[in-house]
Every structure is written in structure tokens, then in C-alpha cells.
Amino acid sequence: MAVYITHNKEETVALGRRLAAYLTPGSVIAFTGGLGAGKTAFCSGIAQGLGCIDEATSPTFAIVNVYRGPQVFAHFDMYRINSLEDLYTTGFYDYMDSGAVVAAEWSENIAEFLDEPFIKVDIAHVDENTRRITIIGIDALQ
Ligand SMILES: Nc1ncnc2c1ncn2[C@@H]1O[C@H](COP(=O)(O)OP(=O)(O)O)[C@@H](O)[C@H]1O
Ligand SMILES: [Mg+2]
């Protein structure tokens, strides 16, 4: 487990970039933390770190955004996903099997359907600009 404090969005993006170095095809990153915590900011750092040519944006409306690059990155928003059937329909498992790196915002909703191992990232809102980011599944980021 590793815990980090960030003081602005850019620091959270930078942490996502650092995490990307640990990701391999089929890696799953499960995010928790409420609205405005910084999950999408962290994912945009992952996309940058993976070398994606597309910029990450919130997948709230599309449910999944897929970013192209040397390592494909499938970025999900599970806010409206509540059942295993829903989850299958999003293509979540297909993206995993195809070798994409897969991230899920609102992973609370699919926790019971996730198989270990996966990386957990919880982002706690401390104050307006401060976030406490807990990463489980990696000892410490280089
Ligand atoms: N330390 C921080 N890390 C990330 N975002 C921050 C931070 N401080 C303030 N913010 C702001 O919080 C919001 C986070 O938005 P977003 O990444 O879309 O959150 P989420 O996807 O969790 O809903 C942005 O408006 C961002 O500017
Ligand atoms: Mg978001």
C-alpha cells in the first residue's frame, strides 16, 4: 500500500503518470472516491503515462472511453452499472481479454464482480485542493 497527498489537479495527474509504469496488458485499476475526487484527473495521467495519443475525458455519458496508443487504455465509469449483466454489456471483460489496460471509476458498483489481482486507488477529498490517494496492490511508486 502507498499513500500520497496531492495539492492540485496537476499533482494527481502526475501520480497517474507514475502508476502507468506498473501497468501491463489486462491490468485493472479500480477507483473509489466521490464526485470531484479526481478519478478522471488520475486517469488522464495514466493515459499520458501509457503513451496514449488521445486525451482522457470523463466517460460518464459514454460509460467507456477508449484511448489509442502503444498500450490501449479503456476508461470506464460504472456509476450506472449495478449488475453482472450490465457489466458484461459494457465490454469490460472483452477489453481486459484483448490486452487493454482497464480502469473503472465508481468501482464500488462492480466490486463483487472483480477478480484479483487488481490495483485499488481510493481518492479522499481532504479540502478544496487537497486529496489523500491510497494505492493498494503496489508497494510504492518510483
Ligand atoms: N489535488 C487535486 N487532485 C485532483 N483534482 C483536484 C485537486 N484539487 C482540486 N481538484 C479539482 O477537483 C476536480 C476533480 O475532477 P475529476 O477528476 O473529474 O473528479 P472525478 O472523476 O473523481 O469526479 C477538478 O475540478 C480538479 O480541478
Ligand atoms: Mg470522473
Side-chain angles (χ1 to χ4, degrees):
M1 183 174 102
V3 182
Y4 300 89
I5 301 287
T6 65
H7 303 93
N8 53 53
K9 180 181 169 180
E10 290 65 36
E11 288 183 12
T12 297
V13 173
L15 207 54
R17 266 199 308 268
R18 283 164 66 192
L19 179 70
Y22 296 84
L23 303 174
T24 54
S27 288
V28 174
I29 311 103
F31 287 87
T32 51
L35 189 66
K39 303 178 294 296
T40 295
F42 195 108
C43 286
S44 79
I46 292 176
Q48 290 172 17
L50 293 174
C52 295
I53 59 171
D54 299 308
E55 203 174 307
T57 55
S58 178
T60 303
F61 298 104
I63 300 193
V64 57
N65 291 341
V66 181
Y67 312 121
R68 300 164 294 172
Q71 169 62 66
V72 173
F73 179 28
H75 176 197
F76 286 82
D77 185 317
M78 300 302 185
Y79 193 73
R80 291 181 184 78
I81 305 302
N82 298 301
S83 67
L84 186 57
E85 195 186 351
D86 281 357
L87 186 58
Y88 270 110
T89 305
T90 67
F92 183 81
Y93 296 106
D94 299 320
Y95 281 110
M96 267 177 66
D97 293 344
S98 76
V101 161
V102 178
E105 300 193 26
W106 299 102
S107 72
E108 294 91 330
N109 287 357
I110 59 158
E112 60 197 295
F113 311 125
L114 286 179
D115 293 324
E116 298 281 355
F118 58 90
I119 297 166
K120 295 182 190 140
V121 178
D122 178 69
I123 309 183
H125 184 290
V126 178
D127 65 28
E128 188 181 350
N129 293 305
T130 310
R131 304 289 188 270
R132 185 187 313 105
I133 302 180
T134 305
I135 302 176
I136 297 174
I138 290 175
D139 289 339
L141 300 182
Q142 293 295 316

